[in-house]
Structure formats: structure tokens, C-alpha cells
Amino acid sequence: MGHTCRPRRAHFATIHRLEDSIVPYNISFISLGCAKNQVNCEQMMASVQAAGHTIQAQPEGADVVVVNTCGFLQSACEEAIDNILEMAELKRAGQVQKILVTGCMTQRYKQDVLNELPEVDGILGTGSYGDICAAIDEVMGASGLRPCHLGSIHTAPQDGGRILSTPPWYAYLRIAEGCDNHCAYCVIPSLRGKYRSRPMEGLLEEARELADAGVKELLVIAQDITRYGTDLNGEHQLASLLRELCRLDFHWVRLHYLYPDEITEELIDTIAEEPKIVKYLDIPIQHCNDGILKAMNRRDTKAELLDLLTKLRARIPGLVLRTSLITGLPGEGEAELEELCVFLRETKIERAGVFPFSPEEGTRAAQMDHVDMEEARRRAELVVDVQSDIIDAYNESVLGTEREVLCEGFDSQAQMHFGRSYAESPDIDGRIWFDADREVEPGTFVTVRLTGVMDGELTGELAEE
């Protein structure tokens, strides 16, 4: 089951009531995939609410369930189909009237969704999120239309109101849409369009409202945040944007994702100098072998990656790195796999998501010679073993130190509070578990003395303040 979008609060009075939405309906949203997709879902919820409809957390009893899909990998499409079929069961039981499917899977497989999933009452592609209210009216109308909204993925508006579905203490700020990197294994450019930065003025207005609403951790996101602004005036503007964001009332500013070939000296200085920017950088490298990187249309070499990581470690004290790695890529043999493992041991990248290569339909890499999925998974497991040793050593190295932790709740079974430090990003990394002799409210920053490790996650105790 996917992430049910639970409405929290509305932002940005830029969406007006749609007068042609005559009948109010109960609408439920399920959002799958990445944080960028979640922002799209939050924008759709705001549009729906502004049109006079009611948003409910659970799908049971909804007039329309909107399943916002991911289509990045086949596994994501399978998850989306499972969710759609689960909603179809509720529909057959009379607990849901209509099902709308939006997002990347519909953009990628629009005709297949319409032909193979008769339970679906309408679809919206990634260029048509703004048409959600019209689609609701169409599927609920007497004419029984089966809407298919597929607007341009290169010009779709990015701004608009949001109803946040994250906990009150953090929120995402999407600063750009699309991607121009065209990695050989990736379908994102064909699903999200060309890279489009949002103007800084609008971003800062949105960020101010988030800060005023009590958001303490702002996660700056895009498929590639390092290129921010280059499509507007040819200049890298991320460092300038970050300096402005740090003037606002956030406690932490976190960055996802930075592509290694576009990390400028100015950006490194800004990250190092601004105390609100957490010293945690998510830099997807995918591999380290020069031949594989070139075949994948990556613009780095192993030497350049090593130089960058060394420079970042030297200039940003306490830096924690996260990356994404793919095993079984075209051109990878046992020697290249061992090279990747040695690279990890040398660079000691603290956190890594390791994925077996998935030959995605429509990508150049799918046409190249590669190992089968079973072998790619075996290799992924080997890399995960290497990465486990690295994180174990890192956890041991920080025991006895004190960390600022953002408390996110209390687990009644474990009888411990849990939260995150700067070194853990929400929904990606693990938690820090800690004992406290008093109740700690979620959303509160506390100091925790790290004393142990439990199932790979750090544990500690509330330090005297």
C-alpha cells in the first residue's frame, strides 16, 4: 500500500475556487514514489480543496480515489498497479466510486493503463496535474466520461498552493522540474520533461510561508538541484538561493540531490559557512568505473569523483555523504564490481542506496549487453555488505558524542523516543533512538548522547541541557 496523503494545512492563497465545480465530493489521495511526486500530490489536494471538495485520509467511503504513481522503474510500476487493484477491490465492494490515476506511470504507459486496467476511470499525465478538478467533474458527471489529460511535460506550471502531508516539522521545497542529464539508464527526462528552474522570487515566497507555518526542516529537492538557475540565465544560482533560505526561520536546510559535475566552489563555500545547511549531502554517483560512467552518459571520471569527495571532506567538517549505486550496469564484470567495492572502502561514503540494474524500456542502456536481474541482485547484495561494514564503523566512531536530534515520536513497544540528527534524512535513512526521563514533544530539538547501536541504528540518552 502506498503513502496515503493526510492533509495538514493549506498554503499560498494563489488558488481560487473553481466555479464550474458544482457538486462537492469526498476525495482521497494515495501518493507513491519520491518526494517530488509527493509535492505534486500536495498541489492537487490544494486544488481540490479550493474547488470545494472534501479531502479524506482513508480511501474507504471516497467518491474519488486519486492514485499518484511513480514510473521510474518497473518495480515502481508494479507497486502502482498493486495499489490500483486494491482500490478496484474497494470499488467493487461499493466503498469507492471512481479511480483516477495520475503521475509518472500514466505518463509512461498511458495506453496500457487505459487498456489493461478497466477499473481506472481516468488518467492524468505529469503535464496535467492542474487538471485534477476537471477530471473529477468529468468522472463524476452524468455523461460518464473517461478523461485522459496529457498536457505538455515541458511547460506544465510548477507553482500553486499545497496542502502539506508531511509531519508539521518538515516540508519539501521543489526548486526545479525535469532533467537534462539524460543518463542512459534513466527514463526521467521522458516523464518529467526538460529541466526548468522555478524563479527565485516565487521560491522564497513559498519558503517564507513554510517557515511562518512552523516548518523547522526545509528539504530542498529536485531531480538535480545543482543546475538550479542555469536554464534561466546560464549561471548557477543554488548557492545564492540557499543563502536567502538561510535568512528565514528554519532550523535545518537539507539538500537532495547534488550531481557531482555541477558542484561549484561557491556552493561548497556556502554549505560550509551556513550553519543552517546540514552537513549531509546526497550525491548520486551510480558507479566509479570510467568505462561504465562513460557508457551511462555520466560526465565524471573516477579521478574526478575522488577529488570531489576529498575536497568536500576537507572543507566541510563532520560531513556525512549519501549516494546511489547501481550494480549489473552494462559493462560491469567482476573486476568492475570489485573496483566499486574498493572505491567505497576508500571513500567511506556513510550511506548508500544500492540497486540492481533494471533495463528500462525506452532507455539506451536496456539495449546494451548486461547481466540478468538475478546476477545484478547478487552483486547488489555484495555491495550492501561492504556498505554495512562502513556504516557500522561510522556508528562506532560517533559513540560517546552528543548530537542535536529532532524528536519525531515515541515508540510504546520499544519504550523509547526516536528522531533524526543532521546525518539522517526523513524516509531515507534510519532513526536515532533515545531514552528520556521526561516526555519529549515531536518536533522538538534535543541533545542526545550516543551510547550504542541497535539493529544498525544509533541509540542514546537525553543529555542534560
Side-chain angles (χ1 to χ4, degrees):
M1 185 67 183
H3 168 73
T4 300
C5 279
R6 299 177 181 274
R8 176 151 61 85
R9 54 180 177 269
H11 283 292
F12 325 124
T14 56
I15 297 180
H16 304 287
R17 181 176 297 277
L18 302 181
E19 298 301 334
D20 59 348
S21 186
I22 301 172
V23 181
Y25 300 110
N26 294 321
I27 316 296
S28 182
F29 288 83
I30 296 171
S31 191
L32 307 170
C34 66
K36 300 179 290 295
N37 224 30
Q38 189 172 345
V39 171
N40 290 130
C41 193
E42 292 175 345
Q43 291 173 324
M44 285 193 289
M45 288 197 295
S47 295
V48 164
Q49 187 178 77
H53 303 300
T54 299
I55 300 169
Q56 62 180 56
Q58 300 304 321
E60 290 84 0
D63 295 305
V64 180
V65 172
V66 181
V67 182
N68 190 34
T69 62
C70 175
F72 179 50
L73 299 172
Q74 284 303 312
S75 57
C77 293
E78 291 166 7
E79 181 189 19
I81 292 170
D82 287 344
N83 275 267
I84 292 167
L85 294 178
E86 189 170 340
M87 293 306 101
E89 287 295 323
L90 294 179
K91 184 178 176 182
R92 278 189 284 272
Q95 298 184 60
V96 166
Q97 288 195 50
K98 301 290 183 179
I99 301 171
L100 284 175
V101 180
T102 66
C104 289
M105 189 183 76
T106 55
Q107 185 68 41
R108 187 176 181 186
Y109 296 116
K110 37 194 170 283
Q111 207 56 52
D112 290 336
V113 173
L114 291 172
N115 293 342
E116 304 297 328
L117 294 169
E119 302 91 345
V120 172
D121 297 290
I123 65 171
L124 283 75
T126 56
S128 298
Y129 288 113
D131 294 343
I132 183 63
C133 293
I136 289 171
D137 289 344
E138 288 164 0
V139 296
M140 294 301 294
S143 58
L145 294 176
R146 198 184 191 200
C148 179
H149 293 256
L150 297 168
S152 172
I153 61 174
H154 302 293
T155 60
Q158 298 186 60
D159 299 325
R162 291 165 60 188
I163 294 178
L164 300 186
S165 57
T166 49
W169 48 86
Y170 76 84
Y172 298 103
L173 181 70
R174 189 181 60 198
I175 66 172
E177 178 62 285
C179 186
D180 288 343
N181 289 315
H182 296 286
C183 300
Y185 50 82
C186 183
V187 298
I188 292 297
S190 65
L191 302 181
R192 292 284 181 168
K194 63 184 180 181
Y195 192 84
R196 287 114 56 212
S197 301
R198 293 178 58 192
M200 193 178 300
E201 182 180 350
L203 287 173
L204 293 176
E205 179 184 354
E206 182 173 342
R208 286 188 198 98
E209 293 207 26
L210 291 171
D212 291 344
V215 169
K216 297 179 180 180
E217 179 181 11
L218 184 74
L219 289 93
V220 178
I221 61 168
Q223 190 66 29
D224 176 1
I225 65 172
T226 33
R227 277 177 169 71
Y228 175 72
T230 56
D231 58 309
L232 299 177
N233 65 358
E235 298 179 1
H236 290 86
Q237 298 183 44
L238 179 60
S240 177
L241 172 64
L242 292 177
R243 289 193 293 270
E244 292 300 317
L245 291 174
C246 287
R247 296 176 185 271
L248 303 178
D249 192 21
F250 299 113
H251 194 83
W252 284 346
V253 176
R254 191 179 296 273
L255 311 180
H256 289 284
Y257 306 91
L258 299 100
Y259 275 60
D261 60 306
E262 296 286 341
I263 296 177
T264 64
E265 295 294 319
E266 181 190 19
L267 179 58
I268 296 173
D269 288 340
T270 300
I271 294 169
E273 294 166 3
E274 290 287 355
K276 290 185 178 181
I277 300 178
V278 296
K279 309 319 178 196
Y280 168 109
L281 300 180
D282 193 330
I283 306 174
I285 62 171
Q286 312 306 353
H287 214 280
C288 69
N289 175 266
D290 286 347
I292 293 176
L293 291 171
K294 184 176 181 181
M296 295 300 101
N297 198 36
R298 303 287 292 188
R299 287 171 290 279
D300 310 290
T301 64
K302 180 181 178 180
E304 289 169 340
L305 290 173
L306 287 169
D307 180 64
L308 173 65
L309 298 183
T310 301
K311 182 191 302 182
L312 291 173
R313 297 277 197 202
R315 290 167 60 178
I316 306 174
L319 178 64
V320 168
L321 291 169
R322 165 167 275 282
T323 195
S324 300
L325 302 169
I326 304 175
T327 59
L329 284 163
E332 185 188 73
E334 291 298 329
E336 290 78 15
L337 177 65
E338 178 59 24
E339 183 180 355
L340 178 60
C341 292
V342 171
F343 179 89
L344 284 176
R345 294 187 188 102
E346 290 178 350
T347 57
K348 295 181 172 60
I349 295 174
E350 287 84 357
R351 307 193 184 283
V354 185
F355 306 93
F357 172 64
S358 175
E360 294 298 314
E361 181 182 352
T363 64
R364 283 179 291 147
Q367 307 304 315
M368 303 176 187
D369 290 335
H370 56 269
V371 300
D372 59 34
M373 280 296 293
E374 183 177 348
E375 174 62 15
R377 291 191 189 99
R378 183 190 72 84
R379 296 181 185 185
E381 291 172 0
L382 292 175
V383 176
V384 167
D385 288 342
V386 173
Q387 190 60 36
S388 296
D389 291 340
I390 294 170
I391 190 60
D392 287 346
Y394 170 76
N395 285 341
E396 288 293 328
S397 74
V398 300
L399 294 183
T401 65
E402 294 184 353
R403 282 254 168 107
E404 183 180 48
V405 171
L406 173 57
C407 179
E408 296 195 296
F410 179 80
D411 187 289
S412 57
Q413 184 174 355
Q415 286 295 297
M416 298 178 78
H417 291 82
F418 59 87
R420 297 179 290 106
S421 73
Y422 79 94
E424 295 88 25
S425 193
D427 297 328
I428 298 175
D429 304 310
R431 294 167 166 174
I432 292 178
W433 298 83
F434 63 95
D435 294 309
D437 56 5
R438 61 178 174 84
E439 183 179 354
V440 181
E441 288 292 325
T444 303
F445 285 93
V446 293
T447 302
V448 172
R449 182 178 299 107
L450 302 175
T451 58
V453 180
M454 177 178 67
D455 296 329
E457 296 182 325
L458 288 164
T459 62
E461 58 190 17
L462 195 65
E464 292 184 8
E465 299 176 350

